């Protein structure tokens, strides 16, 4: 079954603008698919031109049916949260009282305090992100 979409002249003007000017490439791709659909191209050809599968193309059209262009502009990227975030307060307090001499030392102390093992790079990023400095000797 072919998905039918109602796209008026004002909507087409907005789609045309967004397919080149939206900052997210994913949204540009969705707009391009909609633009091609408005010109009557078959789904297989649209999918090939846009560089997605036909299932993904159907998802784009269903998103549009659910909430219009605003729904197509939504970006819901998965961003896992660090297990260390649950320990920020206690780690900040600990490191303010006992500044680590190195990232390696901070890594070891974090594992002892929280039971969470992280690489030196991850520990350094966590400390930087939470404005915890390493004491220089």
């Amino acid at each position: 079954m072919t998905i039918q979409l109602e796209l008026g002249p004002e909507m087409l003007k907005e789609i045309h603008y967004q397919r080149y000017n939206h900052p997210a490439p994913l949204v540009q791709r969705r707009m391009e698919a909609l633009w091609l659909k408005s010109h009557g191209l078959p789904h297989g050809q649209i999918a090939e031109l846009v560089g997605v599968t036909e299932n993904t193309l159907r998802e784009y059209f269903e998103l549009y049916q659910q909430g219009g262009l605003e729904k197509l502009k939504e970006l819901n990227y998965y961003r896992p949260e660090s297990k260390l975030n649950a320990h920020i307060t206690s780690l900040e307090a600990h490191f303010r009282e006992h500044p680590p001499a190195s990232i390696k030392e901070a890594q070891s102390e974090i594992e002892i305090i929280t039971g969470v093992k992280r690489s030196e790079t991850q520990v350094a990023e966590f400390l930087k992100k939470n404005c915890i400095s390493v004491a220089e000797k």
Side-chain angles (χ1 to χ4, degrees):
M1 179 176 100
T2 302
I3 297 173
Q4 299 297 317
L5 303 176
E6 295 294 323
L7 303 167
E10 285 301 311
M11 186 68 70
L12 287 173
K13 188 176 177 181
E14 178 67 15
I15 291 167
H16 179 69
Y17 176 80
Q18 293 294 335
R19 66 194 257 242
Y20 295 110
N21 296 294
H22 195 280
L26 173 60
V27 174
Q28 289 178 357
R29 197 167 37 252
R30 289 173 178 173
M31 296 297 169
E32 181 70 16
L34 213 54
W35 178 260
L36 294 171
K37 172 79 170 165
S38 75
H39 286 79
L41 272 69
H43 287 190
Q45 189 177 4
I46 295 171
E48 186 178 330
L49 290 170
V50 176
V52 298
T53 66
E54 287 190 48
N55 285 339
T56 300
L57 190 66
R58 271 189 293 281
E59 287 174 16
Y60 292 172
F61 298 153
E62 287 168 5
L63 282 173
Y64 177 77
Q65 287 177 320
Q66 291 168 12
L69 292 185
E70 290 310 308
K71 190 73 173 173
L72 285 175
K73 292 179 188 178
E74 285 180 9
L75 300 172
N76 300 312
Y77 293 118
Y78 173 68
R79 293 184 185 161
E81 196 167 298
S82 171
K83 290 181 182 177
L84 292 179
N85 286 348
H87 305 280
I88 288 174
T89 307
S90 61
L91 289 172
E92 279 181 345
H94 174 77
F95 287 132
R96 296 221 190 289
E97 278 187 46
H98 314 285
S102 66
I103 297 297
K104 194 140 190 89
E105 183 181 321
Q107 178 188 26
S108 175
E109 289 181 32
I110 286 173
E111 187 174 353
I112 291 167
I113 294 168
T114 66
V116 177
K117 184 173 182 145
R118 292 290 179 255
S119 70
E120 287 184 44
T121 305
Q122 289 170 316
V123 168
E125 189 63 33
F126 174 79
L127 295 175
K128 180 180 175 185
K129 184 174 147 189
N130 291 290
C131 301
I132 301 170
S133 58
V134 175
E136 295 183 29
K137 292 184 178 180

